[in-house]
Amino acid sequence: MDADVVVIGAGIVGVSVGIHLAQRGRRVVVIDRRLPGEETSHGNAGLIERASVVPYAFPRELLAIARYATNRQTAMRYDARSMPSFAPWLFRYWRESAPARLARASTDMLPLIANSVVEHDKLIELAGLGTLVKPDGWIEGYRTEAALARRLNVCGLLARQHGLAMVALDRRGMEKTEPGLRPGIVGGIHWTDPRSVTDPGRLTQGYARLLESMGGRVLLGTVSALHQRAEGWQVGVDGGEMFAREVVVAQGPWSTQFIAPLGYRIPLLAKRGYHMHYHAETDIAQRFPIADAEVGYVVAPMQRGLRLTTGVELTNPSRPPTTIQLDRAERHAKTIFGLGRRLDDAAWMGHRPCTPDMRPVIGPAPRHAGLWFAFGHNHHGLTLGPVTGRLLAEMMTGEKPFTDPTPYRPARFG
C-alpha cells in the first residue's frame, strides 16, 4: 500500500481530515490538482463562525421571495437560463427551510458549530499560526433602526439558548467600536465568540505543513478514477496509480464527480461567490469583519487589504463568471467602508458546496467499504474543517465519536 488513507482534496476540510488521521497513526496522502488552500478555502470572508447556530435558509416570507425573484438583489442573483438545472434542488432547499425542519437542522448542526473554535484553536497552536487569527468576532451591521430592532429580538433569544456572547451596538456604540466607518450603518450586533482569519488560504497552507510535519504527504495531482479492489482502493492519479486501504473524498463542490461513477447521487449545488481586495481610504483601520446585513455582503480586513465578499450566485457551472454581484456590492460598500482602488487584477470566484438539507455529508459510503465522504459544508467550510476532521477520524479509527454522526450520514441521500 502507498498509504493507509488517500484524501482527495487539499482544502481546509481535506487537510484537517489528514491531520486528525495522522494524529491517530495513519499514513496519509492528501492529493489535489491545486495547492492547499487555493480554492474555496482561500476566498471566503475568513470567519470561524461559532455564532451561526441557525443555517442559512431559503426565505419563506412572500415579500422576500418576491424581492429575490426580481433578480436585482445584492445578496443573491440567479442566471435565468440555468434555472432548469438547479430548480429541483432549490425546491428541496425551500422545503427543508420550513420552520420545523430548519429547527431540526439547527439542532443537528449545533455540535459541529459549538466545537468549531475549539478545534481550530488546537490546530492553530500546533501549527504556530496565531498571527493569522484575531479574537473577538465580527459585526452584523444594519442600515435602519427597524431592521436592527427586529434582529435583536431574534438574536437575544439565540444568545440565551446557546450561550453566545453578543453586544448590541446603537449608533454611538457602532461609532466607538468602528470609528473609521463613514455614515450608513446605524448600529449592529457584535458577535464576540467567533474568530476572524486575515488570510484563510495561508491558514490552510499552514495546516498542510503541520500535516507534513506529522509524516503525512501532500501531493499535487489530478485524480482521474477510483476503483475498489479486494485489498482496498486503487486511485488513478495523472496517468499513474496509488493504492490505499481507505479513501476520503473531500473535494468540496467537485466531490460528486468522483462518487457518481460508483452510483452515488448526492444533491450538491455549488453556489458561486466572488471577492475583491481594495486599498483602504480611511485614516482609522477597520477592526472587525462587518456584514451589511440588509444588503448582503461582507467587508473584512485582510492582510492584502479590505476584502469585499459577495452573496450567492446560482447558475450552471458551465456559465462564465460575471461581475454583476461584485459591482452591486461595491456600489453599496464604497462610501461606508472607504474602499479605494482595486488591488486584484480580476475578481476571485469560488464555489460553496451546498446540500438542500443544510447539513454536510460526513461518514462512510453506504455501499463501498473503505470509502468515506467529507464535503457539502454549505457556507461554513472554513468554520467546520477541523471539527469535521476530528469526527471523521474518530469514525474511521473506531473511536467513540464526540457527537452522534447520524445527521450527516451519506446514506440519508440513498
Side-chain angles (χ1 to χ4, degrees), residues 16-86:
S16 296
V17 168
I19 289 171
H20 279 275
L21 287 169
Q23 286 178 327
R24 289 158 174 81
R26 297 295 196 265
R27 293 181 303 134
V28 180
V29 175
V30 174
I31 305 175
D32 202 321
R33 66 184 185 279
R34 301 287 299 272
L35 293 171
E38 285 193 347
E39 287 285 0
T40 310
S41 298
H42 157 69
N44 51 73
L47 297 177
I48 302 172
E49 235 313 47
R50 170 64 181 89
S52 285
V53 294
V54 179
Y56 293 111
F58 193 99
R60 304 287 293 187
E61 301 83 8
L62 290 178
L63 183 59
I65 294 174
R67 285 199 302 269
Y68 285 122
T70 66
N71 213 16
R72 297 175 181 175
Q73 302 301 303
T74 302
M76 190 278 288
R77 73 169 298 272
Y78 60 90
D79 178 56
R81 290 166 292 184
S82 303
M83 182 69 78
S85 68
F86 59 77

Side-chain angles (χ1 to χ4, degrees), residues 315-334:
T315 187
N316 189 290
S318 64
R319 299 293 299 163
T322 171
T323 63
I324 293 174
Q325 265 190 308
L326 182 67
D327 293 340
R328 288 175 180 173
E330 184 181 291
R331 285 195 295 271
H332 286 287
K334 199 170 185 66

Side-chain angles (χ1 to χ4, degrees), residues 15 18 38 42 53 60-61 70 82 128 141-142 191-192 241 274-275 284 335 357 380 389 397:
V15 170
E38 285 193 347
H42 157 69
V53 294
R60 304 287 293 187
E61 301 83 8
T70 66
S82 303
Y142 286 85
W191 298 100
T192 59
E241 295 175 345
Y274 300 83
H275 84 222
I284 304 173
T335 56
D357 66 358
H380 294 308
T397 58

Side-chain angles (χ1 to χ4, degrees), residues 32-368:
D32 202 321
R33 66 184 185 279
R34 301 287 299 272
L35 293 171
E38 285 193 347
E39 287 285 0
T40 310
S41 298
H42 157 69
N44 51 73
L47 297 177
I48 302 172
E49 235 313 47
R50 170 64 181 89
S52 285
V53 294
V54 179
Y56 293 111
F58 193 99
R60 304 287 293 187
E61 301 83 8
L62 290 178
L63 183 59
I65 294 174
R67 285 199 302 269
Y68 285 122
T70 66
N71 213 16
R72 297 175 181 175
Q73 302 301 303
T74 302
M76 190 278 288
R77 73 169 298 272
Y78 60 90
D79 178 56
R81 290 166 292 184
S82 303
M83 182 69 78
S85 68
F86 59 77
W89 186 97
L90 211 59
F91 174 74
R92 293 179 68 173
Y93 181 32
W94 172 82
R95 186 180 61 188
E96 292 292 338
S97 298
R101 292 173 183 256
L102 181 61
R104 286 197 295 271
S106 299
T107 299
D108 289 343
M109 289 302 298
L110 186 59
L112 299 183
I113 294 292
N115 286 279
S116 60
V117 169
V118 173
E119 294 301 327
H120 262 288
D121 283 348
K122 293 176 185 177
L123 300 192
I124 289 165
E125 182 176 0
L126 284 173
L129 298 171
T131 57
L132 293 178
V133 184
K134 298 192 295 184
D136 301 328
W138 64 285
I139 295 173
E140 190 176 329
Y142 286 85
R143 291 170 174 255
T144 63
E145 301 282 357
L148 175 60
R150 289 193 299 270
R151 181 61 174 160
L152 279 171
N153 288 334
V154 174
C155 292
L157 178 61
L158 288 175
R160 291 190 296 272
Q161 286 178 335
H162 302 293
L164 303 176
M166 58 165 276
V167 178
L169 301 174
D170 57 14
R171 189 186 298 270
R172 187 172 180 179
M174 195 75 194
E175 292 172 352
K176 184 177 180 180
T177 304
E178 286 287 7
L181 287 190
R182 297 169 181 174
I185 302 294
V186 303
I189 301 166
H190 186 181
W191 298 100
T192 59
D193 291 315
R195 304 282 192 270
S196 61
V197 182
T198 58
D199 192 328
R202 284 187 60 195
L203 183 77
T204 305
Q205 293 159 15
Y207 285 178
R209 290 192 297 270
L210 174 63
L211 171 60
E212 290 175 324
S213 74
M214 296 174 172
R217 289 184 288 162
V218 180
L219 302 181
L220 190 64
T222 300
V223 175
S224 56
L226 294 175
H227 298 287
Q228 191 173 30
R229 298 292 183 245
E231 69 280 11
W233 287 85
Q234 176 185 321
V235 183
V237 185
D238 289 337
E241 295 175 345
M242 293 191 69
F243 294 88
R245 289 186 176 85
E246 298 178 286
V247 169
V248 177
V249 178
Q251 190 75 68
W254 301 278
S255 296
T256 52
Q257 72 185 49
F258 298 106
I259 64 176
L262 299 172
Y264 296 102
R265 300 290 184 267
I266 293 179
L268 199 68
L269 180 71
K271 298 179 182 177
R272 285 185 182 178
Y274 300 83
H275 84 222
M276 173 63 68
H277 292 97
Y278 299 82
H279 173 73
E281 292 186 339
T282 55
D283 296 329
I284 304 173
Q286 185 175 323
R287 297 172 61 197
F288 304 101
I290 301 174
D292 188 342
E294 291 181 77
V295 176
Y297 64 86
V298 176
V299 175
M302 296 278 176
Q303 292 189 347
R304 180 164 171 73
L306 291 177
R307 176 181 290 185
L308 172 64
T309 62
T310 71
V312 168
E313 181 182 67
L314 300 176
T315 187
N316 189 290
S318 64
R319 299 293 299 163
T322 171
T323 63
I324 293 174
Q325 265 190 308
L326 182 67
D327 293 340
R328 288 175 180 173
E330 184 181 291
R331 285 195 295 271
H332 286 287
K334 199 170 185 66
T335 56
I336 295 175
F337 294 92
L339 302 184
R341 69 181 186 278
R342 291 185 172 187
L343 299 178
D344 304 322
D345 294 332
W348 178 90
M349 183 186 77
H351 307 82
R352 306 174 180 106
C354 299
T355 60
D357 66 358
M358 296 162 283
R359 299 162 178 87
V361 181
I362 306 172
R367 300 183 297 278
H368 292 80

